[in-house]
Amino acid sequence: MSKNLTGVYPPIITCFTQDGEIYERGIRNVVSFLSEKGVNGLFVIGSYGSFPLMTDDERKRVAEIIFDEVKGRVPVIVHIGSAGTRRSIALARHAQELGAEAVAAVTPFYYSGFAYKETEILNHFEQIVKAVDVPVYLYNNPKTTYYTVSPTTLLKLADVGVQGLKDSSGDLMLFADYLNTVRPKHPDFNFMIGTVGLIQPSYLFGARSCVAGTANVFPELVLELVSKLEQGKHEEAKDLQLKVIQIRKIQAITGFRPAGCYTMLKMRGVDAGVPRLPWRLPNEEETKAMRRQLVEIGML
């Protein structure tokens, strides 16, 4: 496992203006905020990053802004997944040119839930691996792609050159099966938990990387949780893990966690713009409830 791909990687939001254009200043504000808080890296243009709401050219532009603002301070993993292999390869090559530490891709979606079998999935990722020189990760997100990569398929993906996994299944038993199946043959394969509510148990299983959505707003809390785990202070880590889960629930006041980040960042003094339609910001009543609940748990 590459040492610089461990720790806390916020899946950063993409910022937009009120009329739906890319908000460059907002993106730079978020990158600067997270870098100053000491995150270990960034996971960009994924689900939190609104990738399905953007054209490929917009995705490239957002990546260019992020890398320009990062200036090598932290490693960046760029999500390049799309419905087609050719598009994913083009995005992966662009990310490599910018200096991505790795690229990650969901399984090719839309047809995945009924048409694609293991053969198509393996070939898709093998073509991406052959096209770039940076590590390629699988981003397992079955609730959006309607395709759950099995442990045996993940092993075959590792055999064709995939070097890591961001698992957002929310299924701890499946994550354990991934570890048990792949690690004996590929000990350096990087397992990143993609659900902030599972950081502590996944750490105990051996994961040393997390893509934590709540770290968009409260990176210091998630970093402290990981620090307590590294120190073996599991009771203190438990309390922090429970608080992270509370915040995760507050984020979802509109029913969709990423959308809550824009308002919560504003509460922290960070201008992150707004989400792009059809996402919506919390309304006035929801915003008041968010603030009240965050004050009650000592986060504001």
Side-chain angles (χ1 to χ4, degrees), residues 83-209:
T85 306
R86 185 182 179 92
R87 289 173 60 195
S88 294
I89 287 173
L91 290 166
R93 285 173 171 163
H94 179 259
Q96 177 176 286
E97 290 170 3
L98 292 175
E101 196 74 22
V103 296
V106 292
T107 54
F109 44 84
Y110 188 79
Y111 299 107
S112 296
F114 67 96
Y116 296 146
K117 301 297 186 286
E118 184 181 77
T119 299
E120 288 84 5
I121 301 300
L122 291 175
N123 184 58
H124 175 77
F125 279 91
E126 185 173 12
Q127 295 305 312
I128 299 172
V129 167
K130 289 178 178 178
V132 293
D133 297 322
V134 297
V136 175
Y137 283 28
L138 164 68
Y139 175 7
N140 185 51
N141 197 347
K143 64 181 174 291
T144 58
T145 62
Y146 295 96
Y147 188 96
T148 301
V149 173
S150 71
T152 54
T153 300
L154 183 63
L155 178 58
K156 293 176 183 178
L157 286 168
D159 288 342
V160 300
V162 172
Q163 296 184 38
L165 164 73
K166 174 188 181 284
D167 180 42
S168 295
S169 68
D171 186 338
L172 190 60
M173 291 292 287
L174 178 61
F175 190 70
D177 283 341
Y178 287 147
L179 286 158
N180 286 334
T181 302
V182 176
R183 276 223 167 133
K185 187 174 181 182
H186 298 278
D188 293 330
F189 195 89
N190 190 9
F191 292 87
M192 306 184 83
I193 194 69
T195 303
V196 72
L198 296 178
I199 289 177
Q200 185 170 26
S202 69
Y203 187 93
L204 296 177
F205 283 176
R208 293 297 179 265
S209 307

